[in-house]
Amino acid sequence: MARSSTTKPSALVDGLVFTAGAFMALLIFFGLYSFLSPDPVPNRLSSISLPLSSPRTNRSTHDPSDQTFYDDPSLTYTIEKPISNWDEKRSAWLKLHPSFSAKTERVLMVSGSQPKPCPSYDGDHLLLRSLKNKVDYCRIHDIELFYNTVHFHPSMPTFWAKIPVIRAAMLAHPEADWVWWVDSDAIFTDMDFFLPLDRYRDHNMVVHGWPKLVYEEKSWVALNAGVFLIRNCQWSLDFMDEWASMGPPSPDYEKWGKILTSTFKNKVFTDSDDQSALVYLILTGKGGWRDKIYLENEYYFEGYWVEIVGRLENIAARYNEMEKRGPAVLRRRHAEGVFVSYAKQRDAQLGRENGAVSGPKGWKRPFLTHFTGCQPCNGKRNEQYSGDNCTEGMYKALNFADDQVLRAYGFRHANMLSGDVQPLPFDYPRARI
């Protein structure tokens, strides 16, 4: 019995060792087989996570009825080759993508800055803050933003660079009814404001300008080409082709410089520029374009910063006073997602206030404050402006606008030149900070 009790464990161990060895051999065999075989044995995990398909099954097959202008190899995004029948092509694309059909018109904002870092000290930071300002406005108003940092045409830099970008944006966004160009140095200073698109239903371009300065004074600053709306249609593509024909790529570029300089006596440089060219097309009626161009001057579609910045503190104080004595809904905390509905309440209250109008004599927030001549990136400011005035003015405008956004997050800037913020109490501004 003693011997028997000593031999049974040994047999058991030998059996376990044999079984383990056989199992390891089997694993090694299948491992080598899988490695050497040109068609490995699939397992459940690999067949789910790595669904490889052959080139035959991966090859796309297009239904001819689904083809659009994107399938036309002759269509180009560059300005050298005109595009025809754009309205029909865009309409056909929209029919294939009914989800983009909407009762309200879609707007695509386009802006941009230079490809390289700014040489001026504050330049890159100011452009970043300006971009944030545009992102804030677009997020609140459900507008898409395309911000460009490259030159789409090498011979169209600086102020001419916008035309090839806008043209390409129209092709990239056929769902957009309007393209809204906004210069990088233009800052939204009224986050509540809605574009009155119904006012422009019979026009294809909207620019801030004054007919008297165009037709009577023949001034090259009769309008500002740094901010404008342009409809996504054939008219606009044709118009931009003619507008660009007065720019650097044209063999008549120098001739146009002389024509524009002789036409506008107050023009300060001899090169052909986009703004003078636009005024010229409106003034002369060349091409018949002016009938579809709306000169907007009833609100600050873009306002001259010099006449705005010094009034921002007073405007902010007037809004606070209005909200203190106004209905409680103006002071109510709310989610940013319903910002627009509260903006409408505030706009209704503005209509009941004395002096709440747009312009130098009113205290309504300016929609867009444009820092023309400040050149925040390259620092080459207009000689009549000091660097401090431009930089300080931009920070004031940016913080003035930022306070309107931060309110939904429960904060505001300590002052218009401070990067520090303060928490807002309940029932602000009736309750003091």
Side-chain angles (χ1 to χ4, degrees):
M1 292 294 295
R3 186 174 181 180
S4 174
S5 62
T6 58
T7 58
K8 283 185 178 179
S10 176
L12 179 62
V13 170
D14 290 344
L16 291 173
V17 170
F18 175 80
T19 303
F23 181 72
M24 288 300 298
L26 191 63
L27 287 178
I28 293 172
F29 170 76
F30 278 113
L32 290 173
Y33 179 80
S34 298
F35 179 75
L36 296 173
S37 172
D39 187 17
V41 177
N43 58 60
R44 188 178 299 275
L45 180 62
S46 65
S47 64
I48 294 174
S49 61
L50 298 173
L52 301 178
S53 58
S54 68
R56 286 197 305 269
T57 59
N58 201 33
R59 184 173 55 195
S60 60
T61 57
H62 290 291
D63 183 343
S65 63
D66 289 341
Q67 291 195 349
T68 68
F69 62 90
Y70 288 118
D71 300 298
D72 180 3
S74 66
L75 182 137
T76 63
Y77 289 79
T78 58
I79 64 171
E80 287 82 7
K81 187 175 180 180
I83 295 175
S84 60
N85 302 317
W86 174 241
D87 295 338
E88 293 78 6
K89 292 172 181 176
R90 180 171 172 262
S91 178
W93 186 91
L94 288 170
K95 287 180 180 178
L96 291 173
H97 300 84
S99 62
F100 288 104
S101 299
K103 294 181 180 179
T104 57
E105 293 184 297
R106 292 177 180 270
V107 177
L108 170 71
M109 185 185 297
V110 180
S111 186
S113 52
Q114 76 300 321
K116 297 180 180 180
C118 295
S120 68
Y121 177 74
D122 283 319
D124 286 316
H125 181 65
L126 286 169
L127 288 183
L128 176 63
R129 288 289 309 275
S130 180
L131 172 58
K132 178 197 178 297
N133 172 262
K134 294 171 180 61
V135 170
D136 285 339
Y137 183 85
C138 289
R139 183 181 67 254
I140 289 168
H141 291 275
D142 196 23
I143 293 174
E144 288 195 44
L145 169 65
F146 171 58
Y147 193 91
N148 180 53
T149 57
V150 295
H151 291 313
F152 280 13
H153 196 292
S155 63
M156 298 185 80
T158 62
F159 33 74
W160 285 105
K162 63 174 75 79
I163 295 178
V165 177
I166 293 169
R167 186 186 192 274
M170 287 183 174
L171 301 186
H173 290 271
E175 79 284 358
D177 299 290
W178 291 93
V179 174
W180 186 8
W181 174 263
V182 181
D183 271 359
S184 60
D185 59 357
I187 297 169
F188 288 91
T189 39
D190 186 1
M191 292 292 174
D192 290 354
F193 193 83
F194 302 84
L195 284 170
L197 295 178
D198 287 345
R199 184 185 300 181
Y200 314 131
R201 67 172 66 91
D202 296 325
H203 295 82
N204 293 331
M205 187 176 188
V206 182
V207 62
H208 196 211
W210 298 264
K212 181 179 178 180
L213 294 181
V214 173
Y215 299 109
E216 296 180 22
E217 299 186 21
K218 297 182 180 180
S219 171
W220 80 286
V221 291
L223 54 80
N224 190 290
V227 178
F228 59 85
L229 276 166
I230 189 163
R231 195 182 294 277
N232 192 355
C233 65
Q234 185 66 49
W235 181 96
S236 298
L237 291 174
D238 295 341
F239 171 75
M240 286 191 293
D241 285 342
E242 178 144 0
W243 195 7
S245 72
M246 304 167 78
S250 170
D252 298 325
Y253 177 58
E254 291 186 8
K255 183 186 78 172
W256 277 117
K258 294 176 181 177
I259 293 173
L260 297 176
T261 303
S262 63
T263 303
F264 306 111
K265 304 303 180 184
N266 65 339
K267 184 170 163 59
V268 295
F269 51 91
T270 57
D271 289 342
S272 174
D273 66 285
D274 65 322
Q275 184 165 294
S276 298
L278 180 55
V279 179
Y280 182 86
L281 291 172
I282 297 173
L283 171 65
T284 61
K286 183 177 183 293
W289 307 107
R290 67 183 178 192
D291 293 340
K292 289 292 185 179
I293 300 176
Y294 191 103
L295 294 179
E296 178 61 82
N297 50 59
E298 294 185 24
Y299 65 94
Y300 279 120
F301 187 59
E302 61 82 43
Y304 183 36
W305 68 275
V306 173
E307 67 180 42
I308 291 175
V309 168
R311 300 189 291 119
L312 291 179
E313 281 95 346
N314 179 60
I315 292 172
R318 296 295 294 267
Y319 270 73
N320 282 347
E321 288 299 320
M322 176 189 73
E323 294 186 7
K324 283 181 184 179
R325 63 175 180 269
V329 67
L330 300 180
R331 301 183 298 276
R332 187 184 181 191
R333 293 173 174 174
H334 56 80
E336 188 183 65
V338 292
F339 187 105
V340 170
S341 63
Y342 282 84
K344 291 179 180 178
Q345 297 273 2
R346 196 158 30 245
D347 189 61
Q349 183 65 26
L350 279 170
R352 296 186 283 267
E353 299 286 326
N354 292 325
V357 294
S358 184
K361 297 181 180 180
W363 54 269
K364 188 174 183 181
R365 292 170 182 161
F367 180 37
L368 266 166
T369 302
H370 196 179
F371 286 82
T372 53
C374 281
Q375 301 292 334
C377 184
N378 62 32
K380 298 177 181 178
R381 297 175 173 87
N382 189 310
E383 294 180 357
Q384 63 180 312
Y385 312 134
S386 70
D388 290 341
N389 286 344
C390 278
T391 302
E392 185 175 299
M394 289 193 77
Y395 279 119
K396 276 188 175 182
L398 287 164
N399 289 343
F400 176 82
D402 205 32
D403 278 347
Q404 299 168 45
V405 177
L406 291 178
R407 185 168 178 177
Y409 297 83
F411 290 87
R412 59 157 289 170
H413 288 268
N415 60 66
M416 287 192 187
L417 287 176
S418 174
D420 297 329
V421 295
Q422 301 170 325
L424 295 175
F426 183 80
D427 205 34
Y428 175 85
R430 182 173 286 181
R432 293 189 177 184
I433 297 177

